[in-house]
Amino acid sequence: MNFLTDCFGSDDEDRPVHPRKSSKTKKALVDDEENDEIFEQLGQELEEGNVEYKWRLVDPSPNRVEHLTTQMKYRLEEGSGEAIYEIGVEDNGFPRGLSEPDLTSSLATLKQMTVNLGAEMVVLQIKPGAMGNVAQVLVRAKMKDGGDQAIDLRVAVLGHVDVGKSTLVGVLTGNRLDNGKGLARMNVFRHKHEVQNGRTSSISHQILGFDTEGKVTNHNTFGPLTWEEIVEDSAKILTFLDLAGDEKYFKTTVRGLCGQMPDYAMLLVAADVGVTPTTEEHIGIALSLAVPIFIVVTKVDIASESTLHHTMVTLTHLLRADNNRLTPIEVKEQSDILMCVRSLHSERIAPIFQVSSVNGHNLDILRKFLNLLPVKKEWLSRREEPAQFLVQETFFIPEIGPVVTGTVLSGCVRVHQRMLLGPDSTGVFRPVLVKSIHCKRVPVRSVAAGQTAGLAIAFGARTSPMKHRTYSPDGKLNGSGKPRAASVDSAENPNEISPLKGRDRSLSVDEFLRSGMVLVDMKGKPKATRDFEADVCILSADTTLHVNYQPVIHTHSVTQAASVVSVEPTTSVNGPTVRIRFRFLYRPEFLQEGTRLVVREGRTKAVGKITQVFHE
């Protein structure tokens, strides 16, 4: 657990606790007549999750096969379409093992179960057990509806400047090694100045697809594929969020971590440079936002043995520090990958990979790990809640109209769905119609919690009256006129929200839309606020948060300066913890209790959780 979890508790604290059901792994020694074998002793099998232990599946009856198939369906649902089977392992985690004929028969039964469910299986590893061999098998459901059902994960790429973040992303997604001069990163950069100076200044998105057998789908024998082709061929898709490492773009990096809600953070450390203050800060922010983290040590091809050793020792000390409390695990082989995948969500381990983007060292191990990254279970539970979409970026496209991009926080957003968009500068939410949805550049009918998408919207709705609202030049609401029915299809100017009379000008989409807004279900009653209270942990002893202090607040896609209204110390044995009431300086925002936040002025000053929202 990290320092923020100690202060405020974990998001998973309400989950049931299973006594004697530990997910930890340990090593057991088995004495054999010929030699000594060391095998992996697994923890007790859990009723929840997507991992299933089966000792023996030899010639089961039809009724037994039907029961096993139903059980597999449950495991696939728990893993959002993928599950891991441990064949030859007892329910208590003891790797008893099977003879070669029994293991072959058990895998054939498992294959029959996957066929019954329209899924695919691939054997990841066969290793020795106590009295035979143990097989670890990946089961993955086939995609449906042209890729709408593909498993979707987001991985934030962090690290200091010049550690090779964009280069590694380019190598992983482009299927070609770097030439040592940054050739692989050219397709990752978004702006001309990034190409010229070799440094990322914005948030770049790149995808890596895997099919049902775990093979990369980004390319074929004819060359690289388009995003549309990758999505069509993939059962699992990882979206890399390539974030800036330069300190002058730190605001953009924090906005990416908070607003795009990554499932994992991949922190890069250059073997020839080692740990930097930026490395420490990125680890702290990721852990404070409850984002599981894994480490990639790059440029091992140019670092001397002593330099690499020093980097690993320094990194290990940093991860084990009291404010991080992570157990570093160097990943070198398949068994290390599976052990890390099972334990990653406990937030107590930090897998470490040593790679080179030039000679390809250990890149295959990293790809296998990425292929097995599990989906966060919280997204599954949120899909039953009312729809809520966090707006990260806004655009206006000619002949299409306003477009917003972001992440679905809860529920499901569908084409032709009516929603409320806001708040504006006065705290008002306006009705909009979702005209179309694109997910990874592919048109889809819907997106669910945990997915990112772009929505083309139109203001008003055919059956929903929309009031005329007038605004003075300083942005204040003057009043409202008579309601009228606004038809999306017959709107003369979709770029104009509501026509104004007299000397007041029209409020255009460019002036209304902004990052930090939300789209919520029409049945909801969203309220904007300027004042909120949060419990925060101060990261450094020399930081003082006093009344009238004005830091920048990052929470979800909201980024705005706020003033400290009051400071109240709270009882905590885990560090300097205070309860602070903030007030946004420029406009109201949509906030929810329990949301994590980052308090920043240049560097990060504090992290915490919103405990109370005050509505006027």
Side-chain angles (χ1 to χ4, degrees):
M1 306 293 284
N2 60 64
F3 63 94
L4 186 66
T5 302
D6 292 337
C7 292
F8 309 114
S10 170
D11 290 336
D12 301 331
E13 60 188 0
D14 295 330
R15 294 184 180 176
V17 178
H18 300 272
R20 299 181 292 104
K21 291 187 176 183
S22 172
S23 62
K24 295 180 180 179
T25 59
K26 55 184 179 181
K27 297 291 183 181
L29 184 64
V30 176
D31 292 328
D32 190 85
E33 294 181 355
E34 298 181 357
N35 57 355
D36 290 340
E37 295 282 357
I38 295 181
F39 59 86
E40 188 179 18
Q41 168 76 44
L42 305 179
Q44 176 78 27
E45 181 187 54
L46 298 179
E47 296 178 1
E48 298 86 8
N50 69 333
V51 179
E52 179 71 24
Y53 299 166
K54 289 298 177 188
W55 172 54
R56 190 170 179 268
L57 298 173
V58 177
D59 297 328
S61 65
N63 289 338
R64 176 63 173 163
V65 172
E66 183 178 356
H67 171 74
L68 292 171
T69 302
T70 302
Q71 192 177 55
M72 176 180 285
K73 181 179 179 181
Y74 167 75
R75 292 300 187 184
L76 288 172
E77 290 175 349
E78 285 286 285
S80 293
E82 66 181 15
I84 294 178
Y85 270 69
E86 301 276 358
I87 305 299
V89 178
E90 297 179 349
D91 288 346
N92 61 1
F94 178 70
R96 184 173 178 179
L98 292 170
S99 63
E100 185 175 347
D102 284 352
L103 183 60
T104 301
S105 179
S106 297
L107 291 176
T109 301
L110 192 66
K111 179 65 176 179
Q112 181 182 351
M113 295 157 52
T114 61
V115 171
N116 293 342
L117 293 176
E120 295 282 352
M121 59 169 273
V122 57
V123 178
L124 299 175
Q125 183 182 26
I126 295 180
K127 58 182 182 179
M131 294 178 288
N133 289 329
V134 173
Q136 295 174 321
V137 183
L138 170 67
V139 179
R140 182 169 288 167
K142 293 181 180 179
M143 57 187 177
K144 300 177 181 178
D145 300 328
D148 285 9
Q149 304 301 317
I151 300 170
D152 191 2
L153 293 175
R154 290 180 303 283
V155 179
V157 185
L158 303 173
H160 189 54
V161 64
D162 295 334
V163 298
K165 297 186 296 297
S166 300
T167 299
L168 180 60
V169 171
V171 169
L172 290 174
T173 60
N175 191 38
R176 63 175 179 178
L177 297 176
D178 187 55
N179 62 353
K181 300 180 181 180
L183 177 64
R185 67 191 179 189
M186 290 299 103
N187 292 331
V188 178
F189 288 146
R190 297 178 60 187
H191 304 290
K192 182 178 179 180
H193 69 270
E194 294 178 335
V195 176
Q196 293 173 341
N197 59 30
R199 295 186 175 183
T200 301
S201 63
S202 60
I203 303 175
S204 175
H205 298 75
Q206 299 294 323
I207 64 174
L208 176 64
F210 296 95
D211 62 15
T212 53
E213 298 181 355
K215 299 178 181 178
V216 175
T217 60
N218 284 45
H219 46 80
N220 57 23
T221 55
F222 300 102
L225 302 181
T226 64
W227 278 40
E228 294 82 355
E229 293 170 327
I230 295 172
V231 171
E232 183 179 357
D233 296 340
S234 300
K236 184 173 187 176
I237 301 173
L238 272 66
T239 302
F240 291 108
L241 311 175
D242 186 22
L243 303 178
D246 199 318
E247 290 185 8
K248 64 181 179 181
Y249 303 122
F250 183 66
K251 174 183 176 181
T252 302
T253 301
V254 178
R255 286 185 65 243
L257 276 173
C258 294
Q260 308 236 355
M261 303 188 67
D263 299 289
Y264 298 94
M266 181 171 70
L267 177 74
L268 272 62
V269 178
D272 59 332
V273 176
V275 174
T276 67
T278 301
T279 305
E280 300 179 24
E281 188 164 22
H282 284 185
I283 291 178
I285 296 175
L287 293 180
S288 69
L289 296 174
V291 180
I293 190 171
F294 58 96
I295 315 295
V296 178
V297 179
T298 60
K299 302 184 180 182
V300 296
D301 56 307
I302 62 174
S304 65
E305 185 175 345
S306 59
T307 302
L308 177 59
H309 175 72
H310 179 266
T311 296
M312 294 296 295
V313 170
T314 307
L315 182 59
T316 299
H317 289 165
L318 172 62
L319 296 173
R320 288 176 174 169
D322 291 339
N323 58 336
N324 295 325
R325 303 181 190 178
L326 293 172
T327 301
I329 299 176
E330 188 173 349
V331 181
K332 296 181 178 180
E333 55 187 22
Q334 183 75 33
S335 59
D336 298 331
I337 294 175
L338 295 172
M339 190 271 290
C340 290
V341 167
R342 285 193 294 264
S343 307
L344 193 57
H345 276 286
S346 68
E347 298 185 33
R348 296 177 181 176
I349 69 168
I352 302 178
F353 302 83
Q354 295 183 11
V355 306
S356 169
S357 296
V358 175
N359 62 25
H361 177 70
N362 276 348
L363 287 179
D364 57 334
I365 296 293
L366 179 58
R367 285 193 184 96
K368 291 178 181 178
F369 174 78
L370 295 172
N371 172 49
L372 295 177
L373 282 177
V375 178
K376 283 188 175 181
K377 286 190 64 177
E378 63 184 85
W379 291 126
L380 301 179
S381 60
R382 288 184 179 182
R383 291 180 182 182
E384 304 301 324
E385 301 174 2
Q388 188 177 136
F389 182 89
L390 304 177
V391 177
Q392 182 72 18
E393 292 184 283
T394 64
F395 308 92
F396 183 83
I397 302 176
E399 300 182 1
I400 294 179
V403 174
V404 297
T405 64
T407 306
V408 184
L409 182 62
S410 63
C412 184
V413 179
R414 297 177 174 84
V415 175
H416 298 152
Q417 181 175 350
R418 288 193 293 272
M419 305 184 74
L420 295 173
L421 174 65
D424 60 14
S425 59
T426 62
V428 174
F429 289 77
R430 296 176 179 270
V432 298
L433 179 71
V434 179
K435 298 192 298 181
S436 64
I437 303 176
H438 277 68
C439 182
K440 295 176 177 59
R441 305 179 185 175
V442 177
V444 296
R445 300 297 301 175
S446 64
V447 284
Q451 292 184 297
T452 56
L455 313 180
I457 60 175
F459 287 89
R462 182 178 296 277
T463 58
S464 300
M466 180 177 177
K467 294 183 179 181
H468 290 277
R469 300 187 183 276
T470 59
Y471 294 80
S472 58
D474 58 1
K476 295 182 179 180
L477 180 67
N478 291 331
S480 60
K482 297 180 180 180
R484 66 159 184 163
S487 171
V488 174
D489 298 331
S490 62
E492 294 182 0
N493 185 4
N495 190 31
E496 192 173 272
I497 294 178
S498 56
L500 306 178
K501 297 180 179 181
R503 61 181 181 179
D504 289 328
R505 54 186 175 83
S506 297
L507 185 65
S508 69
V509 169
D510 292 337
E511 296 168 307
F512 177 77
L513 290 178
R514 61 175 177 83
S515 173
M517 284 184 161
V518 293
L519 278 163
V520 297
D521 191 271
M522 287 288 291
K523 297 180 181 179
K525 298 180 180 179
K527 294 182 179 180
T529 183
R530 281 183 178 269
D531 293 77
F532 64 96
E533 197 171 69
D535 286 352
V536 302
C537 278
I538 299 174
L539 298 184
S540 59
D542 59 348
T543 299
T544 302
L545 302 181
H546 53 80
V547 176
N548 294 328
Y549 177 64
Q550 296 180 354
V552 176
I553 304 296
H554 295 269
T555 175
H556 281 169
S557 56
V558 173
T559 301
Q560 188 182 163
S563 177
V564 174
V565 177
S566 63
V567 180
E568 176 186 350
T570 58
T571 304
S572 174
V573 296
N574 298 298
T577 307
V578 292
R579 178 164 296 168
I580 302 179
R581 179 161 179 166
F582 293 96
R583 180 177 177 82
F584 284 125
L585 295 180
Y586 303 109
R587 56 185 175 272
E589 302 283 5
F590 178 77
L591 301 179
Q592 291 178 303
E593 296 176 359
T595 305
R596 296 178 184 260
L597 58 80
V598 175
V599 181
R600 181 186 64 82
E601 184 191 29
R603 288 190 172 275
T604 305
K605 299 297 182 181
V607 293
K609 276 186 178 180
I610 297 176
T611 57
Q612 189 173 359
V613 177
F614 302 96
H615 299 290
E616 297 180 356

